[in-house]
Amino acid sequence: MTAVDVPLAEPGQAEADGGAQSAPGVGRLRKRGLARSRRWAPYLFLAPYLALFALFVATPIALGVWLSLHDWDPFLPSRPWVGLDNYADLFRSGSPTHGNFWRALRATALFTALSVPVLVTLPLLLALALNQRFPGRSFFRAMFFAPYVLGVAVVAMIWRLLLDPQVGAINHLLGKVGLPADTGWTTAVPWVWVSLVGMTVWWTLGYNAVIYLAGLQNIHRELYDAARIDGATRWQQFWHVTVPGLRPVFVFVVTMTVLASANMFGQAYLVTGGGPGSETRTTIMYIAEEGFRSFRLGAAAAMSYVQAFFLAVVNLVMFLLFFGRGSDEDAQ
């Protein structure tokens, strides 16, 4: 018999032929898998944030609401359901928490009203100055921002030593120049408010200035050049170029400053102790006392949500004023 030469298939050729025949099906499966992975990719990227948000934000909020509906004492086995009584007590004259809560809220509102205008305007002026070109600009930027890196305990201790009515350096210096040397910076009204606002401005001035500075550097120089060509003065350039360009930054600074001022705790607690009397006892201080000294966690939680509601309303009004006005101007 004559041997017949049969060509041998090269290794992998059969698999390649089979793969070529099934390529359309495989391609469709791959496209489906790719589409499915693209659909789920955003959720996978969001998953770590959503998990942390649920654990550290959503869960405490829900737990706080649950606490506010109970007469919750952590050292008692019985924590009866009281419904909205903790909230009603805040508005019911004669209740144990009514007078103290509204006095604390008034002190918080007073501090906010005194500190926010200064912490909004003064950093803007500082940022305008630091945005100019002059020798040592970087040094001055760092120096003004430096106090912000200090903790509230350090800031409070420094200013408590400076403001002490008996041995404080400020009263000593005032006496040297012939001014009253016995001013009660931490013990008398209205000087306690001057002290709290002053130290807060010194502490947080640089942070707001840096935010403004970043916004100023994001405004295109061509806009100022065009304004100068049109004959605009420095004030007109500021009002018609700088202010509109800083609107989002301005809203951010105002919102964060209002929230920080409304939650002021460390300065008053460490410097004035809430005194004289309860004049500088802020809402956060009173909530802490009710929750961790009197162990009335339900009432403390209710107070915190009432204050949060007021802050939400204030910030919503500011947002509508700033952006609503800006939309009207843009439309005109």
Side-chain angles (χ1 to χ4, degrees), residues 161-182:
L161 293 174
L162 292 174
L163 297 169
D164 188 276
Q166 303 300 325
V167 297
I170 292 180
N171 272 350
H172 177 73
L173 294 175
L174 291 176
K176 289 293 186 181
V177 297
L179 296 175
D182 58 349

Side-chain angles (χ1 to χ4, degrees), residues 51-166:
L52 294 175
F53 180 86
L55 180 62
F56 294 106
V57 178
T59 300
I61 289 175
L63 179 59
V65 172
W66 181 253
L67 290 177
S68 70
L69 302 176
H70 293 76
D71 184 8
W72 193 286
D73 188 324
F75 298 102
L76 295 180
S78 176
R79 293 148 187 171
W81 171 275
V82 296
L84 299 176
D85 284 352
N86 286 326
Y87 295 93
D89 286 342
L90 300 179
F91 300 92
R92 184 186 299 125
S93 179
S95 68
T97 56
H98 174 268
N100 292 327
F101 173 74
W102 289 103
R103 277 192 294 271
L105 193 63
R106 182 184 61 185
T108 301
L110 180 59
F111 176 81
T112 303
L114 293 174
S115 61
V116 169
V118 181
L119 285 171
V120 169
T121 57
L122 191 58
L124 176 59
L125 298 177
L126 179 62
L128 291 172
L130 294 177
N131 197 40
Q132 306 300 317
R133 296 183 179 275
F134 58 89
R137 180 177 64 173
S138 299
F139 170 78
F140 285 105
R141 288 179 178 178
M143 290 301 296
F144 280 108
F145 184 78
Y148 187 73
V149 303
L150 300 175
V152 63
V154 176
V155 173
M157 290 297 100
I158 291 173
W159 281 93
R160 185 171 182 176
L161 293 174
L162 292 174
L163 297 169
D164 188 276
Q166 303 300 325

Side-chain angles (χ1 to χ4, degrees), residues 212-293:
Y212 278 129
L213 189 60
L216 289 172
Q217 294 179 350
N218 198 39
I219 300 175
H220 296 292
R221 303 303 305 177
E222 293 81 0
L223 298 176
Y224 292 100
D225 295 337
R228 280 192 294 268
I229 293 174
D230 290 340
T233 62
R234 295 292 293 271
W235 170 252
Q236 290 172 332
Q237 293 177 34
F238 172 77
W239 188 251
H240 295 287
V241 178
T242 304
V243 171
L246 285 180
R247 185 182 294 123
V249 177
F250 187 76
V251 173
F252 173 81
V253 169
V254 172
T255 301
M256 298 305 296
T257 304
V258 168
L259 293 176
S261 298
N263 289 283
M264 190 269 286
F265 173 79
Q267 302 95 299
Y269 182 78
L270 295 172
V271 176
T272 67
S278 60
E279 188 69 28
T280 59
R281 183 174 64 178
T282 61
T283 312
I284 300 299
M285 291 181 64
Y286 183 55
I287 291 173
E289 290 177 5
E290 282 292 296
F292 301 112
R293 287 186 182 178

Side-chain angles (χ1 to χ4, degrees), residues 21-45:
Q21 295 175 0
S22 61
V26 173
R28 283 193 296 270
L29 292 176
R30 288 179 178 177
K31 288 182 180 179
R32 291 176 183 175
L34 184 60
R36 190 178 298 110
S37 63
R38 287 179 178 176
R39 188 183 312 116
W40 287 101
Y43 301 100
L44 293 176
F45 282 111

